[in-house]
Amino acid sequence: MATKAVILVLDSFGIGYAPDADKFNDVGANTFASIASAFVKQKGRQLVLPNLTSLGLVDAATAASSGHQAEVPKATKLIGGYGFAQELSSGKDTPSGHWEIAGVPVLYEWGYFQNKTNSFPAEFIAELCQRTGVSGILGNCHASGTDILVKLGDEHVKTGQPICYTSADSVFQVAAHETHFGLQRLLDFCLIARELLDKYNIGRVIARPFLGDAATNYARTGNRRDFSVLPPAPTVLDKLTQAGGQVIAIGKIADIYAHQGITKNIKATGLTALIDTSLAQMATQPDNSLVFTNLVDFDQNYGHRRDPIGYGEALEYFDGRLAEIFAACDADTLLILTADHGCDPTWPGTEHTREYIPVLVYQPGMQGVNLGKRNSFADIGQTLADYFKLEPMQYGESFLAQIRLA
């Protein structure tokens, strides 16, 4: 029997605060419910998500929220498996969430830059400037990636000094103008920063190139690059490729896994392009392969920017495209929709939120099946290991048998 799988990560689409949310000051956060409520209040109507709800999204979210139903009607007929998963990893960041999805939770603490201003160690800045030849850096603080362009973009263009900032995540971000600073120079700068930051146990260095000629129109481009450390153990992606299978990474997936366990890497920018690219790869997807896509817009454009209406409209657009995705699934294709963390756009601040994630599964002809609460995101990776007949992962419990009984 042929085996193909597709994972679509709705980046930041949490469905209710996790049991340990108090450790993160996130008790009460609920990305899905907050978006739904804002839609009713501000647009005077409910979210329209017929395809997601047919997979059991509302049922999963209601269970994850202790019986509180988001202001979205349930589907009358379910055609997929639905559940919700709790994170084992110590953080609520992108690498931790994705690595755990692939069967490898992060059980150690990342290094963080805790200080809101003067965030980076002086010795690190000095060596970074010396190694890269820049006269200094701008920022050196916790900041919103869009706000800091307005604040420091002109000074960056004038001085040639890169804008360096961080957040509550284990991350070092560098914004630079593609024309005035140069894209390749930015990537080279970030590679050196990646090397220097290893001793601080920082998870990611992110290159944030932008264009524009004034503070009013500076805007990020699609040439973002993430430079991640390697996962602490082989992921299910590694095991699939080592067994002769293929992993087709779309969007920022390859960067998140430091290009390990990836056989094909395809960049795409924007929700439409990411979905179009996923569909194109599904159309020619070989046996024993995984198409793996991160839909970053939900997090980057709406969650972090605290835009619940934009988030809801993007969900409705994605839902409309789901019919095409369902149609592209062969009888031997396993489709999984999930998330990597929450980012409630109505929650204080601009950071991720510690939440349960949805686990929605589809195969043609499938009936509704309740997958219940999953104790780790790693259940997804374990299920894929089971599905592709690979050596089991150390973490996670497969739900493949439940699907096949449906």
Side-chain angles (χ1 to χ4, degrees):
M1 178 180 175
T3 49
K4 305 174 188 177
V6 178
I7 301 178
L8 302 179
V9 178
L10 284 70
D11 198 315
S12 83
F13 189 51
I15 57 172
Y17 69 90
D20 59 356
D22 59 311
K23 299 177 183 177
F24 301 85
N25 296 317
D26 287 335
V27 173
N30 190 322
T31 300
F32 179 41
S34 295
I35 294 165
S37 178
F39 235 68
V40 171
K41 291 175 182 176
Q42 297 182 42
K43 299 199 72 162
R45 68 172 178 86
Q46 293 181 321
L47 281 168
V48 179
L49 304 171
N51 290 306
L52 283 166
T53 57
S54 73
L55 293 177
L57 171 61
V58 174
D59 303 79
T62 301
S65 303
S66 302
H68 172 72
Q69 183 176 331
E71 296 180 70
V72 178
K74 289 185 178 183
T76 55
K77 180 183 178 182
L78 298 181
I79 60 168
Y82 60 93
F84 58 102
Q86 179 178 343
E87 189 166 9
L88 278 181
S89 298
S90 60
K92 52 178 179 177
D93 54 275
T94 295
S96 295
H98 279 78
W99 296 355
E100 188 168 329
I101 286 169
V104 181
V106 178
L107 303 179
Y108 54 83
E109 286 291 338
W110 291 110
Y112 297 95
F113 299 116
Q114 303 283 7
N115 296 335
K116 300 298 182 182
T117 60
N118 296 317
S119 301
F120 309 122
E123 62 272 18
F124 160 70
I125 296 174
E127 187 172 2
L128 180 64
C129 291
Q130 188 274 325
R131 290 274 303 273
T132 60
V134 301
S135 60
I137 65 169
L138 302 174
N140 192 9
C141 61
H142 282 233
S144 157
T146 50
D147 292 346
I148 206 165
L149 294 186
V150 175
K151 181 179 179 181
L152 296 176
D154 286 347
E155 187 176 354
H156 160 71
V157 171
K158 179 181 178 181
T159 65
Q161 295 178 343
I163 303 168
C164 302
Y165 61 103
T166 188
S167 70
D169 284 351
S170 180
V171 66
F172 180 77
Q173 304 193 67
V174 186
H177 198 285
E178 285 196 10
T179 303
H180 295 283
F181 191 85
L183 178 59
Q184 188 57 51
R185 187 183 177 199
L186 169 61
L187 299 179
D188 292 342
F189 181 93
C190 288
L191 280 170
I192 292 172
R194 171 68 279 165
E195 177 188 337
L196 297 178
L197 288 169
D198 282 350
K199 68 180 181 181
Y200 297 96
N201 197 28
I202 300 301
R204 281 184 299 166
V205 173
I206 305 179
R208 296 282 196 178
F210 67 95
L211 286 171
D213 55 18
T216 54
N217 63 21
Y218 288 137
R220 294 170 174 173
T221 74
N223 291 320
R224 163 185 172 159
R225 279 288 307 277
D226 292 41
F227 299 92
S228 174
V229 296
L230 289 170
T235 68
V236 73
L237 312 185
D238 297 310
K239 294 191 177 187
L240 179 57
T241 55
Q242 288 165 7
Q246 296 188 38
V247 175
I248 303 158
I250 299 174
K252 67 176 186 177
I253 289 295
D255 285 352
I256 293 169
Y257 292 95
H259 294 255
Q260 184 167 282
I262 308 295
T263 55
K264 186 175 183 180
N265 178 25
I266 306 172
K267 290 292 184 181
T269 302
L271 189 56
T272 297
L274 287 163
I275 295 170
D276 287 346
T277 303
S278 300
L279 285 166
Q281 292 305 307
M282 290 174 68
T284 58
Q285 184 177 1
D287 182 29
N288 203 35
S289 68
L290 169 66
V291 172
F292 197 175
T293 303
N294 175 281
L295 302 173
V296 68
D297 289 41
F298 294 115
D299 186 48
Q300 173 180 278
N301 295 352
Y302 309 111
H304 284 302
R305 297 187 187 181
R306 294 308 187 239
D307 180 4
I309 301 304
Y311 203 136
E313 290 171 346
L315 283 172
E316 290 188 330
Y317 172 77
F318 173 73
D319 189 271
R321 301 295 304 272
L322 259 182
E324 299 172 63
I325 295 168
F326 290 161
C329 291
D330 297 336
D332 53 10
T333 300
L334 177 67
L335 171 67
I336 300 174
L337 307 183
T338 191
D340 53 342
H341 48 69
C343 195
D344 187 333
T346 70
W347 202 246
T350 60
E351 307 299 342
H352 296 155
T353 43
R354 182 75 163 187
E355 297 185 50
Y356 289 117
I357 60 167
V359 180
L360 307 177
V361 184
Y362 173 80
Q363 282 192 304
M366 188 175 176
Q367 302 296 313
V369 55
N370 186 354
L371 301 175
K373 178 188 174 185
R374 317 304 306 186
N375 292 320
S376 170
F377 297 3
D379 287 12
I380 295 173
Q382 193 71 274
T383 299
L384 290 173
D386 193 4
Y387 183 66
F388 286 112
K389 296 181 171 57
L390 305 171
E391 178 187 352
M393 305 300 296
Q394 183 177 354
Y395 294 91
E397 182 178 345
S398 173
F399 48 77
L400 188 64
Q402 291 173 261
I403 296 169
R404 288 183 167 162
L405 288 173

